[in-house]
Amino acid sequence: MADPDTPSFSPSHSHVFLGADHAGAEKRTWAVIWLCGFMMVAEIAGGALFGSIALIADGLHMSTHAGALLLAALAYTYARKHANDPGFAFGTGKVGDLAGFTSAVILAMIALLIGYEAILRLFNPVPIHFNEAIAIAVLGLGVNVASAWLLSGGHHHHGHGHGHAHHDETDAHHDHGEEIRHIDTENGIVALEIFEDGVPPRFRVRDSSGKPVNAADFTVETIRPDGASQAFAFVNRDGFLESLAEIPEPHEFTVRLRANGPGGAVHEVRFEEHVHGHGASPAHHRDNNMRAALIHVMADAAVSVLVIGGLLLARTFGWVWMDPMAGIIGAVVIANWSYGLMRDTGGILLDRTADRKLVQDVRATIETDGDKVTDLHLWRLGPGHLGAIVSVATDKPFGSEYYHRRLVRFHALSHVTVEVQQTA
């Protein structure tokens, strides 16, 4: 008896499995692209004006840097624009992983080129204009530090390995006291969160695409298990709405969010108390697209540091071989980072089991009362979202809804399909 998504968990749920910080990461990546583009034009123009081939070469190198970041930015934009495209069976959450894998391949090629050029220069030294080369390397390092700062700006959403269940029309994420649900409304996807990072808990509502929201646009009401209800009024903050009243503990209730206006429907989402230690790995929340962009920046910064050190030693002690040696070390470092990124994103793209410990915990939870799990698949859908398909053999008169409720405690599971096989 197959009943993948039962009515009690909303039959028309969303398949939006983007990361909690998707919109912010997209904006930061575009900002870094503009920075790199500006530096590229400035270096090439300056090199042509002052006759510096080295400056022109670094400007051209900056163009490859901007190109790699452009891949990340386009992946963010594409995933957001096609998040609700029914042609993607499980949403566009893996677009960032695909971009990350592509970036890993590009990084590997860059490592090979740097290593090849460094080995050639080790055996066939070329004249070096130390002062100019050091100045350009320092400039490049400064740009990379600024880029890394921009990319990680506001990036306080570090997964702790525990999200929140998404068996209905929401997705969720929890970090540093935040609970987030992304709800597909008539007016677009909005994020509803319980924010309590160092402050009393309050609801916050924002548009996932970054559009402004108004306090009159939404109505929020909580319904607790004992039937008690509470309505929340909102005020406009800097880019989001915040409830005037604090949210009483415990945070276990159903939220009814209504988008006010013509055709506004009520969207119900569930909030539950956290269950810690369920075995979900921080890697589940990792944004590999942002990780790839940061690795590009960090790789460039690492090479700049090595080049500066090598050039200073070569100029001071006459160790010309230190410059290509720094390049070889940099190539090895980049290759190592590339391998790690390629391994992780490749496993996600091939639907490798996301967390073997979580698989064991899910199996144990289902089989507690004597039922038998005959088939179990667990894979990543996007940053902070896991999908699961579970086949259960039982002699009890239970439907799939019963097992969905049993699995709600595993907050990393965002899309669960349960098949029940009656054995008696």
Side-chain angles (χ1 to χ4, degrees):
M1 180 177 69
D3 187 8
D5 294 294
T6 64
S8 73
F9 294 103
S10 177
S12 58
H13 58 276
S14 167
H15 288 85
V16 179
F17 300 123
L18 305 181
D21 191 38
H22 188 93
E26 180 182 352
K27 291 178 181 178
R28 294 196 301 273
T29 305
W30 281 112
V32 173
I33 290 173
W34 282 108
L35 172 63
C36 292
F38 173 79
M39 290 304 304
M40 175 188 72
V41 172
E43 287 187 324
I44 293 176
L49 184 63
F50 299 112
S52 171
I53 297 299
L55 200 57
I56 293 175
D58 196 64
L60 294 175
H61 167 74
M62 189 65 70
S63 70
T64 64
H65 188 49
L69 291 169
L70 180 63
L71 174 64
L74 290 176
Y76 279 124
T77 302
Y78 184 89
R80 173 176 53 80
K81 289 185 175 180
H82 295 270
N84 289 300
D85 187 341
F88 293 94
F90 288 102
T92 54
K94 286 186 180 180
V95 171
D97 298 304
L98 178 60
F101 183 84
T102 306
S103 288
V105 174
I106 295 173
L107 279 168
M109 296 173 63
I110 291 174
L112 288 174
L113 289 173
I114 292 175
Y116 175 75
E117 181 68 20
I119 291 174
L120 284 183
R121 292 198 176 194
L122 187 64
F123 293 101
N124 299 287
V126 297
I128 301 174
H129 300 282
F130 289 107
N131 292 336
E132 185 181 35
I134 291 173
I136 292 173
V138 170
L139 176 63
L141 178 60
V143 172
N144 286 311
V145 170
S147 298
W149 180 80
L150 284 172
L151 288 174
S152 59
H155 211 245
H156 56 277
H157 300 285
H158 301 297
H160 286 221
H162 51 277
H164 292 275
H166 174 195
H167 299 266
D168 47 32
E169 63 176 317
T170 69
D171 64 77
H173 181 68
H174 170 72
D175 43 59
H176 292 299
E178 298 176 24
E179 304 175 45
I180 303 177
R181 303 286 192 273
H182 291 270
I183 307 171
D184 191 3
T185 73
E186 297 78 5
N187 299 327
I189 300 173
V190 299
L192 172 69
E193 65 177 310
I194 296 176
F195 186 86
E196 50 182 330
D197 189 3
V199 296
R202 283 181 168 83
F203 283 116
R204 287 186 176 182
V205 177
R206 69 182 77 232
D207 189 286
S208 294
S209 64
K211 295 188 298 184
V213 289
N214 190 281
D217 292 341
F218 300 98
T219 302
V220 169
E221 180 185 21
T222 59
I223 309 296
R224 295 186 176 271
D226 61 2
S229 64
Q230 180 180 0
F232 288 83
F234 287 83
V235 293
N236 290 301
R237 300 298 189 196
D238 185 16
F240 60 90
L241 307 180
E242 185 174 83
S243 63
L244 288 170
E246 299 177 13
I247 306 172
E249 295 283 357
H251 296 166
E252 184 171 359
F253 40 67
T254 296
V255 173
R256 293 178 178 172
L257 181 142
R258 180 190 297 275
N260 296 329
V266 174
H267 303 268
E268 291 192 355
V269 295
R270 294 163 57 92
F271 283 87
E272 300 193 357
E273 284 297 284
H274 313 319
V275 178
H276 300 281
H278 52 71
S281 165
H284 298 159
H285 298 279
R286 181 181 292 159
D287 183 344
N288 285 314
N289 196 25
M290 177 57 68
R291 178 185 173 196
L294 279 169
I295 286 179
H296 270 286
V297 171
M298 291 168 59
D300 217 26
V303 170
S304 295
V305 170
L306 289 169
V307 166
I308 292 170
L311 289 172
L312 287 173
L313 290 172
R315 186 181 66 177
T316 304
F317 300 103
W319 300 344
V320 180
W321 54 270
M322 279 301 301
D323 180 53
M325 184 58 65
I328 293 174
I329 295 173
V332 171
V333 171
I334 295 173
N336 182 59
W337 287 345
S338 169
Y339 170 75
L341 183 60
M342 198 180 302
R343 176 197 61 211
D344 294 344
T345 54
I348 292 170
L349 295 174
L350 293 173
D351 290 331
R352 184 176 182 176
T353 299
D355 189 331
R356 295 187 183 278
K357 177 62 168 60
L358 186 56
V359 169
Q360 296 173 1
D361 290 345
V362 168
R363 182 183 297 274
T365 298
I366 296 294
E367 296 182 342
T368 299
D369 296 331
D371 296 326
K372 180 69 175 177
V373 174
T374 59
D375 197 18
L376 175 56
H377 301 276
L378 186 74
W379 73 102
R380 172 169 149 143
L381 302 170
H385 303 284
L386 299 180
I389 297 176
V390 187
S391 294
V392 184
T394 180
D395 58 0
K396 303 178 183 66
F398 295 148
S400 60
E401 180 178 348
Y402 169 79
Y403 298 100
H404 272 283
R405 288 197 299 267
R406 296 287 297 274
L407 295 177
V408 163
R409 62 187 293 266
F410 297 104
H411 303 310
L413 300 181
S414 296
H415 189 286
V416 179
T417 299
V418 178
E419 179 185 40
V420 180
Q421 303 165 346
Q422 298 291 345
T423 59

